[in-house]
Amino acid sequence: MKHNKNMLFQFGILIIGVYLMGVGTSLSLSSTLSGDAVAFLWDACSTKTGLTVEMINTIFTILLLTIVVKFDITKLGIGTLMCPIIQNFGIWTTNLMLSTISITSGIMDIAIGLIGISILSVGCGIFAYVNLGISAYLGTGKIISEKLNINYGLVIVITDGLCFIFAAILSQSIAIGPLIATCISGPLIDLTMRSMPVFSKYRKGKNYENNISM
């Protein structure tokens, strides 16, 4: 019974973390900063194809999950399956809220972008801390790191860089948001992890750093 309660508690925290990732994605994309590199690519693909950001997110997730399933299915968990659904819901609800707000100030626009990137990072930290299954993007990075014997952090830098390049080509523009996200996401994720000691009993013998990025 106690184990079931612990699992339910972890699942609840997972939902909060992933929902915050969706909120952060929507806020950052609504500003001229354009969010992190991955969100920047989603937005560029959405503009180019006419599909919604939620649909682009789902398509990318399915493609990357195919890679994870083929090479190392053990990296998957309930968090992997729930992440795109809950994140898309967070994006959708935040988009509805933003549709009622008129952003007329440049300062307000930048503030919303920075808040979005920050919320996205905090959500990522919570998601990684609970460790109920790695996301498709992070899982693909882990597989590349292990197969090619390359540092995981370097792999994420490279994949984020490729996302940024492809997004810049598709959108024919350069956004400062992905650069800002690279500078502040890591420290915010680390701070989030260190501020959640209540979960330490669920993390015995595990190194969460291998599961973090954005």
Side-chain angles (χ1 to χ4, degrees):
M1 180 66 70
K2 184 177 180 180
H3 176 70
N4 290 337
K5 288 183 178 180
N6 288 340
M7 286 300 297
L8 287 174
F9 187 57
Q10 290 184 80
F11 185 66
I13 297 300
L14 168 72
I15 292 175
I16 293 173
V18 178
Y19 182 80
L20 288 176
M21 289 168 60
V23 172
T25 297
S26 175
L27 289 175
S28 60
L29 288 177
S30 70
S31 78
T32 54
L33 294 181
S34 298
D36 71 340
V38 178
F40 185 30
L41 180 58
W42 290 351
D43 191 48
C45 289
S46 175
T47 301
K48 198 73 174 180
T49 63
L51 299 175
T52 65
V53 172
E54 295 91 336
M55 293 175 67
I56 295 296
N57 178 21
T58 301
I59 292 171
F60 269 77
T61 299
I62 292 173
L63 291 175
L64 294 178
L65 277 178
T66 302
I67 297 175
V68 177
V69 170
K70 179 176 177 60
F71 290 99
D72 191 355
I73 197 172
T74 63
K75 287 184 169 54
L76 304 182
I78 190 170
T80 308
L81 300 176
M82 296 301 296
C83 183
I85 299 173
I86 301 172
Q87 187 173 13
N88 283 342
F89 181 68
I91 293 173
W92 178 71
T93 55
T94 308
N95 283 344
L96 285 180
M97 178 195 70
L98 290 173
S99 67
T100 65
I101 300 174
S102 178
I103 303 175
T104 58
S105 168
I107 295 178
M108 183 178 179
D109 173 77
I110 294 175
I112 289 177
L114 292 175
I115 291 171
I117 293 173
S118 300
I119 292 177
L120 176 61
S121 301
V122 170
C124 182
I126 295 173
F127 175 48
Y129 194 92
V130 177
N131 195 32
L132 290 178
I134 199 168
S135 70
Y137 182 71
L138 301 182
T140 301
K142 284 289 291 180
I143 289 173
I144 295 174
S145 172
E146 294 167 0
K147 294 294 182 181
L148 300 181
N149 195 28
I150 301 175
N151 178 268
Y152 177 66
L154 178 59
V155 171
I156 294 301
V157 169
I158 293 173
T159 54
D160 280 355
L162 289 174
C163 286
F164 179 81
I165 291 172
F166 289 139
I169 293 173
L170 288 174
S171 64
Q172 297 184 345
S173 64
I174 300 295
I176 194 174
L179 178 60
I180 295 176
T182 300
C183 295
I184 70 174
S185 289
L188 280 176
I189 290 172
D190 183 66
L191 178 61
T192 301
M193 304 292 289
R194 295 179 186 280
S195 300
M196 299 175 67
V198 67
F199 293 110
S200 60
K201 59 184 177 180
Y202 304 128
R203 304 288 305 176
K204 293 179 181 179
K206 296 180 180 180
N207 181 4
Y208 70 78
E209 292 179 355
N210 290 332
N211 296 329
I212 301 175
S213 173
M214 206 56 196

